[in-house]
Structures are given as C-alpha cells and as structure tokens.
Amino acid sequence: MSSTIPPGTAEAGAISPQELLLAARNHGMPLEALAYDVTPVGMHYLLIHYDVPRVDASSWRLEVDGHVAHPLSLSLDDLRARETVSADITFECAGNGRALLDPRPISQPWVLEAVGTGTWTGVPLAALLADAGIGDGAVEVLFTGLDRGVEGEVEQAYQRSLPLADALADDVLLAFGMNGGPLPPQHGFPLRLVVPGWYGMTNVKWLSRITLLDEPFTGYQNARGYRFRRDPDEEGTAVTRMAVRSLMVPPGIPDFGTRRRFAEATAQVIEGRAWSGAGAIESVEVSDDGGATWQAANVEPASGPHAWQRWTFDWRPGAAGEYELCCRATDSVGNRQPADPPWNLGGYANNAVQRVPVAVA
Ligand SMILES: Nc1nc2c(c(=O)[nH]1)N[C@H]1C(S)=C(S)[C@@H](COP(=O)(O)O)O[C@H]1N2
Ligand SMILES: [Mo]
C-alpha cells in the first residue's frame, strides 16, 4: 500500500471483513426501486451506527428539556393526539458513493444505493417546541437516540444537534409513521426526527430526548463525525444538506456474478430519479458515451417539495457495442453534478455522475 494514503483510508477496491459486517447490516436500496415514487419499506436503505434498540412503546417517553420554560414528558399516545402531517421525503446517507473514492475512506462501503423516499407521518417539531417554551438565548436543539455504541474511541448515545433556526423550519417532523404504518424497528420505532433536504445522519432514530442548548453541542457526531476535512487535524466544516444528484435504473439485464449489464439494440426508456437539498431539479441530462456528449431527459414534477423527481430518457442505441450510460442533474440554484468525485476523509457527499457500462447486442 502506498505511503501517501491518508489515515482511515484504503486503496480502492478490496473491502475488509469488518466493512463486510457493516455492509451486511446496512443494506442499500436496489437501484431498480428508483421506479417507485415511494420506496417500499423493506427496500429503503438502512444505516445503523450501533444496534437497533428494542423499545417498549408503553413505557417509552419523549422528554423535552434544557433551555425551555416548561419541560415536557410525552407518551406515544400524547404525540398521536396532536395535529399530524404526512409528506414524501427523500433521504440519502452522506456516505453514499464512499466506496467509489480513491483512496477509499474505511467505513460503511456504500456504492450508490444509500437513498430512498418514505411517506413520513408525525407532528411538526416547531409546534411542540413552542409548547415547551423556547428559552431566550437557546441556539441549538439536541436530539438523543436510545442506541449506544463506541465511535472514535468515545462511548456515546447517537446524538446530533441542529441550529435552532433549522430545527424550527415548518417542514421538520417528529415521525411515528412510515408509508402508512408504524415506524419499523430498523427505521427508528417509536419516534424519529425527519429534517427534509438534509443528509440522513440528521434524522435521529429511536428518539428519547430533545434538549434546547444555549451553547453549540460539541459531541462526536457534530464535532468529529460528519465534517468535511482532508486532514485529520483540520476542524473541517459541517455536512448539512444533500448535494444535487441523479441516479438511473440500470438498463437491460445483469450478469449474476459481476452485475455487468446487457441490453438489446432497440429503442428503450431509461428512467431514474433526481433530488437536491438546495431546491428543485432544473434539468437532467443523459450520455451514452461516458459523458462526451449529453442530451436532455424529461423531468417530472415531484410528489411533494421534499421528494425526488422522476425523469425519463428515450435511448436508441445505434449499433451493437459497448456503451457507458451516465446521468447528471442540475438544481434550481445552478448546482450540477461533477464528472469526478469530490474527495474528503469521511467520504461524504460524493455526488459524481453515475456510470453504467452496458454491452448492447
Ligand atoms: N439513533 C440513530 N439515528 C440515526 C442513525 C443511527 O445510527 N442512530 N443513523 C443515521 C444515518 S447515518 C442515516 S443515513 C439515517 C438512515 O435512516 P434509515 O436507516 O431510516 O434509512 O439515520 C440516521 N439516524
Ligand atoms: Mo448516513
């Protein structure tokens, strides 16, 4: 191994047995499920840092405390009795695309599948915090899950904070329902945070406590994890909203062992989805020559302001041979997916264009 490889990274390719343990627990969404507006529950990706806690709903409480006028202690029935809302919201793990980087940050080795869209049902966070009475001088809201583990040699509960203004956005939910049913254990039963537009780590599962802070949180997941840095000694900047991205359902049929794709030399529709944490999708383009030339795809409206958008492209492969299909999206504020992956030590926010080699017969 080359001595220029930074700590915590490996050469591209070869996945270690430890990473295989992570990959077996934390599955992705098969890309053919991009065909659904709302991802069926069992096909939605999963990312669980530690273990799924077993929670007894009858004794579970949500505590709201810290810098508030009236601390609250709420049961699941108390939450269900409040005014509820439902919305289709696209999640993407910040580490999606990590295993495609070189050198490759050692962690959950996502390829492209760490994405999904759920119909999330719950109560608006802002109304609940208003009932608790936000104290003057509150600056952040800390969300604590029931799961515990060790990370960066620090024993911890999974905890993430949000700046107060972001926590008070009117689309932020405390969700107890997914796709019309209760939250499944692996997705955070009985209650999770859902912050539309932000990378997945924001959406704290198995929520037990919400604490108003009058100083910024300095815990692991905000101060060490989920920061863009190229050197371990850098403080880095926080990972926040999802970068613009598009993915396609790989055309044709796969070879079992290699996933290499075969398609016929007939006209066919390529479909996919595109999303951005910065706004709506302005355009999607498709290339079948590895990105040398691009053509516009047809982009459809989303099922809601925070859901991915479907796109389609009529592909007419000219002749038998090897093709490389690519897609790239541009969002409404002008961000476009790059040809080459952006690199950082955590392997976050790799939104480089997807490349799908296809053999046409
Ligand atoms: N309590 C807790 N919340 C968590 C996590 C976790 O490990 N523990 N993982 C986070 C990460 S990194 C992601 S990407 C999303 C994944 O949500 P999903 O598994 O429901 O798709 O949950 C987030 N919330
Ligand atoms: Mo994640």
Side-chain angles (χ1 to χ4, degrees), residues 110-321:
W110 290 125
V111 187
L112 293 170
E113 299 86 350
V115 63
T117 296
T119 302
W120 299 97
T121 300
V123 298
L125 175 64
L128 199 92
L129 293 183
D131 287 0
I134 301 168
D136 289 340
V139 293
E140 286 193 356
V141 187
L142 177 64
F143 301 89
T144 303
L146 288 166
D147 50 331
R148 290 189 73 78
V150 180
E151 207 172 334
E153 295 174 357
V154 184
E155 188 187 323
Q156 56 193 287
Y158 188 89
Q159 286 185 304
R160 289 266 312 166
S161 75
L162 267 183
L164 183 62
D166 294 302
L168 291 179
D170 58 11
D171 50 15
V172 174
L173 288 183
L174 298 176
F176 45 67
M178 180 186 188
N179 295 10
L183 272 188
Q186 66 274 28
H187 288 292
F189 180 85
L191 190 74
R192 80 177 305 168
L193 178 65
V194 175
V195 182
W198 286 56
Y199 275 117
M201 74 287 167
T202 316
N203 304 317
V204 177
K205 302 192 264 192
W206 312 294
L207 202 56
S208 66
R209 189 173 294 274
I210 299 176
T211 309
L212 273 285
L213 303 179
D214 56 7
E215 295 201 356
F217 177 60
T218 57
Y220 183 87
Q221 302 298 344
N222 284 77
R224 285 301 298 166
Y226 299 109
R227 298 189 77 82
F228 293 110
R229 52 165 81 84
R230 297 182 64 91
D231 182 290
D233 297 330
E234 263 178 80
E235 191 188 330
T237 58
V239 177
T240 59
R241 291 182 165 271
M242 297 184 289
V244 62
R245 187 173 212 151
S246 58
L247 290 172
M248 74 181 96
V249 178
I253 57 169
D255 172 71
F256 173 51
T258 62
R259 305 279 321 153
R260 213 171 99 80
R261 312 230 36 121
F262 305 97
E264 287 177 22
T266 51
Q268 49 203 284
V269 177
I270 312 276
E271 70 173 313
R273 301 276 166 173
W275 64 94
S276 167
I281 294 301
E282 186 68 32
S283 64
V284 174
E285 296 157 288
V286 174
S287 168
D288 70 0
D289 54 13
T293 61
W294 296 91
Q295 282 178 274
N298 171 48
V299 182
E300 299 177 10
S303 61
H306 305 299
W308 55 20
Q309 290 175 245
R310 182 172 185 261
W311 57 265
T312 57
F313 179 77
D314 291 315
W315 185 39
R316 293 185 178 75

